[in-house]
Amino acid sequence: MKILNWIKKYKYWIFIVIIYILLFIHMQSVVMYADDYTVFLRIKPGESFLSIILKELKSYYNYWSGRLIGHAVVISGLTIFGINFFRILNPVMIFIFCWFVSKIVKFKINIDISKFIFILTILILGINIEITRECLYWADGTILYLWGFIPIIINLYLLIKAYINKQTITSKQLFVCLFLSTVSNFIMESTQVFYICIVFFILLFNWKN
C-alpha cells in the first residue's frame, strides 16, 4: 500500500525519469549532420588545438556571425569528444530548459512542477520532425537554437523572482544577469530580442501598477 501511495504521489517524476531515459537512448542514434562536419576540426599531430580554434572563431566572427560561445562549444565538443558529447548533454539541457520554464510559470500559476515538466517535455518531443531535426537532433543547430535560450531563461527566472518578491536586485545578482545575458548573446543573438521584450513588458506592467 505504501508503495502504491508513493507511486501515486511521485507518478509524474517517475514518468519524467522514464521519458528522459528513453530520450537518452534515442539520442544515441543521432549522428553528425550538415554544419557539424564544417565545424569539426581535423587537427594534425603537432598542431595546437587552441590556436586553431581561435583562428576558426575569428573567421566565423568576421565572415559569418558573432556566435562565438555557441561555435566554441560546438567546435570543442565535436572535435574533442565527437558526437557523444551532444548525445549525452542534450537530454540534460532539455530538462534544464523545461525546469526553469516551469519555475517561471509557477510564479503566476499554482502548478505541479513535475506534471508541467512532463507535459512540456512531451510537447517539445512531439513537435513535427521537420522542426525538431533542426533544433533538437542536430548538434550545431540545437546548441545555437535551444541551448542558447537556457541562460536567458535562467536570467528571466532570477529577474521575475526578484520582481514578484519585491526584492531590490543586488550588484551580485545584476552581474549574474549581465553575465548570463552576454553568454546567451554570443550563442544566439536573437535571444536578446526575446529577453528585451519580456523585460519591457515587466517594466511596463510595474509602471502601470
Side-chain angles (χ1 to χ4, degrees):
M1 194 68 179
K2 288 183 178 180
I3 295 177
L4 291 177
N5 290 334
W6 184 86
I7 292 174
K8 184 178 180 180
K9 182 179 180 181
Y10 297 104
K11 60 181 179 295
Y12 285 108
W13 285 117
I14 295 172
F15 291 153
I16 288 169
V17 170
I18 292 172
I19 198 170
Y20 276 92
I21 289 175
L22 292 175
L23 178 60
F24 176 80
I25 294 172
H26 179 56
M27 280 291 168
Q28 304 315 299
S29 64
V30 172
V31 296
M32 291 177 63
Y33 166 67
D35 289 350
D36 294 344
Y37 290 101
T38 303
V39 300
F40 177 78
L41 300 180
R42 294 167 178 80
I43 302 176
K44 299 177 182 178
E47 291 183 327
S48 170
F49 172 76
L50 182 59
S51 63
I52 293 177
I53 192 173
L54 289 176
K55 181 181 178 180
E56 288 293 318
L57 291 175
K58 181 180 178 181
S59 177
Y60 275 116
Y61 185 80
N62 289 332
Y63 302 109
W64 188 20
S65 73
R67 303 168 187 172
L68 295 179
I69 295 178
H71 290 309
V73 172
V74 179
I75 294 172
S76 300
L78 291 178
T79 302
I80 298 174
F81 304 106
I83 193 63
N84 284 328
F85 104 98
F86 175 72
R87 292 171 176 171
I88 294 170
L89 289 181
N90 200 36
V92 177
M93 293 300 184
I94 294 172
F95 177 79
I96 292 173
F97 177 84
C98 293
W99 170 264
F100 278 100
V101 169
S102 67
K103 295 289 283 185
I104 291 173
V105 172
K106 192 171 176 61
F107 283 133
K108 298 299 291 183
I109 305 174
N110 187 22
I111 60 170
D112 181 330
I113 292 288
S114 60
K115 183 177 181 180
F116 189 89
I117 292 174
F118 172 72
I119 294 173
L120 183 58
T121 302
I122 292 296
L123 289 174
I124 291 173
L125 297 180
I127 296 174
N128 190 291
I129 189 63
E130 294 296 325
I131 298 174
T132 54
R133 72 178 183 182
E134 302 291 336
C135 62
L136 205 62
Y137 301 117
W138 171 28
D140 190 26
T142 304
I143 290 170
L144 296 178
Y145 303 138
L146 176 64
W147 295 16
F149 272 95
I150 292 176
I152 283 297
I153 294 296
I154 297 174
N155 195 337
L156 286 172
Y157 167 75
L158 297 174
L159 187 66
I160 296 172
K161 181 181 179 181
Y163 170 73
I164 292 292
N165 296 326
K166 301 185 185 304
Q167 298 173 338
T168 301
I169 297 179
T170 65
S171 56
K172 182 178 180 181
Q173 291 172 322
L174 181 61
F175 173 80
V176 171
C177 287
L178 288 173
F179 174 76
L180 290 172
S181 183
T182 302
V183 169
S184 184
N185 184 52
F186 281 102
I187 297 177
M188 171 56 70
E189 66 283 349
S190 60
T191 58
Q192 297 308 302
V193 177
F194 170 77
Y195 180 69
I196 291 170
C197 289
I198 296 296
V199 172
F200 171 77
F201 283 113
I202 290 174
L203 293 174
L204 180 64
F205 181 81
N206 187 50
W207 173 73
K208 292 184 68 174
N209 290 276

